[in-house]
Amino acid sequence: MKRRTALLWATTTALGLVTSATGCSSTASSSAGRTTPVTFGYIADYSGSAALAVAAKQGLWQKAGLSPQLRVFTNGPLQVQALGAGDLDFGYLGPGALWLPASGKAKIVAVNMLGQADRVIARPGTGITKPAELKGKKVAVAEGTSGDMILNLALGQAGLKPSDITRVTMDPSTIVTAFASGQVDAAAIWYPLIDTIKKRVPDLTEVSRTEDYYPKLTFPNVFVTQPDLPGKNPTLVRKVTSVLRQANDWISAHPEESEKVTADFLKLPADQLAGSTRYVKLLSSKQLTDLSANGTVDGWFNGLADVFTSMGKLKSPSDAKEYYLGDVYKAAGSPQP
């Protein structure tokens, strides 16, 4: 499945990715004799790197007795393949790849950030101001992305079927051009690409937003591990999850500074990630623990599994309780025995 993060950053950060991954590996090897090594995959954008950047900056790995060997990937499915092959212990998935844990190919150890960048937008003059008015309209979408997901949510909210619209599949950059030039009536796309569109169509309408479905449903990005690792090495899973909790809390308390730390980690100019927290919702580990305990997080994953089923990505999804380790996340916040 395509990931918008890969499309946004793959070209602009190619050199930085190599340098970042190499630098992290050398740090790990210097302390490998005193700590437990752990391989961890990530994607080179803000959401996919921030927790690892902060963990490195704050020395959280060393405090936990771990030496991270970080490996950069362009998308989530490749990380799940590496987990399955035993080449990775942990990895990062954006919301568009959450059908993989639901199909039993990974276990979720922690929710990271909640994506809030996705929109269904409409051109002025089309008469589209709410999801029901998409019926019969030409809508551009990048198949298999979070834009595809929010389009499905919008149609479902309005009681429409996919066949009720004229779906035009395009890559994200083509959607920007097609929408701006009036080739389509509406589009399912995300920020910051919408900022680019607004320069040419400033009076566009946001028909559906990610926030419209919160807290019942949202687009979380997550950290995952091999399906069998929690049973084989629960101590390692708990230690890594504890590091992720601590990094998450630092980010929640220092959102703007976390953008700079992440840019430095990725060897990017600071302004390239400035404003990244505009497009995510940050929750503290206590909030995530409470939302896990009351079933809200399970509801997010089960709701998205329904979306993936409607998209044809899943046939018989597992219940979230089988692949989201909420109890492990809670335990990782308690003092070590």
Side-chain angles (χ1 to χ4, degrees), residues 33-320:
R34 301 188 302 276
T35 55
T36 302
V38 56
T39 54
F40 210 123
Y42 69 100
I43 291 175
D45 64 0
Y46 175 74
S47 296
S49 304
L52 302 185
V54 168
K57 182 76 171 179
Q58 298 293 317
L60 302 179
W61 296 111
Q62 290 74 15
K63 292 176 184 177
L66 301 172
S67 56
Q69 299 169 3
L70 308 184
R71 295 172 54 190
V72 67
F73 289 79
T74 56
N75 60 54
L78 287 176
Q79 293 180 70
V80 172
Q81 288 180 24
L83 290 171
D87 296 330
L88 273 185
D89 298 319
F90 296 86
Y92 162 88
L93 300 182
L98 288 177
W99 62 276
L100 290 161
S103 63
K105 296 183 178 179
K107 293 288 179 77
I108 298 172
V109 297
V111 172
N112 183 30
M113 303 170 185
L114 309 183
Q116 294 194 326
D118 298 279
R119 304 285 188 273
V120 176
I121 58 175
R123 286 185 54 81
T126 59
I128 304 171
T129 60
K130 56 186 179 182
E133 292 165 345
L134 292 167
K135 186 173 183 177
K137 302 297 186 180
K138 186 182 292 186
V139 184
V141 60
E143 188 171 1
T145 63
S146 54
D148 199 355
M149 293 163 64
I150 195 163
L151 176 59
N152 274 270
L153 285 175
L155 294 176
Q157 182 186 59
L160 299 177
K161 302 184 296 294
S163 58
D164 288 327
I165 64 170
T166 300
R167 179 187 174 99
V168 185
T169 302
M170 302 177 176
D171 64 68
S173 60
T174 305
I175 290 176
V176 172
T177 302
F179 186 94
S181 61
Q183 297 175 42
V184 295
D185 302 306
I189 194 70
W190 48 82
Y191 285 97
L193 291 179
I194 295 174
D195 285 327
T196 301
I197 294 173
K198 282 184 174 180
K199 293 176 182 177
R200 296 178 60 182
V201 191
D203 49 351
L204 62 81
T205 299
E206 293 190 357
V207 178
S208 186
R209 309 178 306 159
T210 320
E211 299 97 310
D212 296 340
Y213 306 95
Y214 185 82
K216 183 178 180 181
L217 194 62
T218 190
F219 286 4
N221 48 69
V222 303
F223 296 109
V224 294
T225 190
Q226 300 171 11
D228 297 334
L229 192 60
K232 291 180 178 178
N233 197 339
T235 299
L236 177 64
V237 173
R238 175 172 170 152
K239 284 184 176 182
V240 170
T241 306
S242 178
V243 167
L244 295 172
R245 284 179 59 110
Q246 293 174 70
N248 174 75
D249 285 338
W250 192 92
I251 292 167
S252 297
H254 309 86
E256 292 185 6
E257 191 175 350
S258 73
E259 295 170 357
K260 298 174 184 177
V261 170
T262 306
D264 183 61
F265 174 80
L266 295 175
K267 304 198 184 315
L268 297 173
D271 61 358
Q272 196 159 328
L273 293 188
S276 293
T277 48
R278 289 170 50 200
Y279 308 119
V280 296
K281 183 175 182 64
L282 303 175
L283 298 174
S284 69
S285 62
K286 182 182 185 309
Q287 288 175 305
L288 287 169
T289 298
D290 291 344
L291 290 169
S292 297
N294 68 22
T296 298
V297 177
D298 282 350
W300 295 343
F301 294 132
N302 286 329
L304 290 178
D306 291 339
V307 174
F308 289 125
T309 300
S310 69
M311 292 168 62
K313 287 291 181 183
L314 285 172
K315 291 185 178 179
S316 301
S318 302
D319 187 271

